[in-house]
Each structure stands twice: as C-alpha cells, then as structure tokens.
Amino acid sequence: MPKFTESKTDRAYESFMQQIPGFQRDPPEAGIIQKDMKQKKQQKGAGKNDLPKR
C-alpha cells in the first residue's frame, strides 16, 4: 500500500497502525538474561522439578 503523504507524522501513524495488536518483540537483552538464568539454575543444582525418586 503506497504511503499517502511524505509527512513524518503521517508516516509514523501509518507505521503504528500496521502493527499487530498484542505483539511484543523481545528486547535485545532477552538472550543475555536467558543465558544468565540458565547459568544460575545450573549453579544451584537440583530445582523444584528434580524431586527424589521413591
């Protein structure tokens, strides 16, 4: 769909209106946070899902 104007404000509005409601991109640091959480979990050892066998 062609842009109806070259106005910066109108182009920003068109871009905003093309977004999918409820869709959120992961922030760039999400990968770093996930790696950090995995390392901490491994350092802790057994987690709540590692119950002793009966």
Side-chain angles (χ1 to χ4, degrees):
M1 184 169 119
K3 305 291 184 196
F4 65 88
T5 182
E6 293 301 314
S7 167
K8 192 174 188 178
T9 306
D10 290 338
R11 286 187 288 155
Y13 179 75
E14 285 181 342
S15 175
F16 171 75
M17 292 304 292
Q18 290 175 354
Q19 292 179 4
I20 301 168
F23 178 77
Q24 296 179 350
R25 292 178 180 85
D26 284 338
E29 64 273 4
I32 297 168
I33 294 170
Q34 288 293 331
K35 287 178 188 176
D36 190 39
M37 288 174 58
K38 285 181 183 178
Q39 286 177 351
K40 285 183 181 179
K41 188 174 182 180
Q42 287 175 352
Q43 288 174 357
K44 273 188 175 179
K48 67 177 183 177
N49 295 332
D50 298 333
L51 299 174
K53 307 267 184 198
R54 293 190 199 193

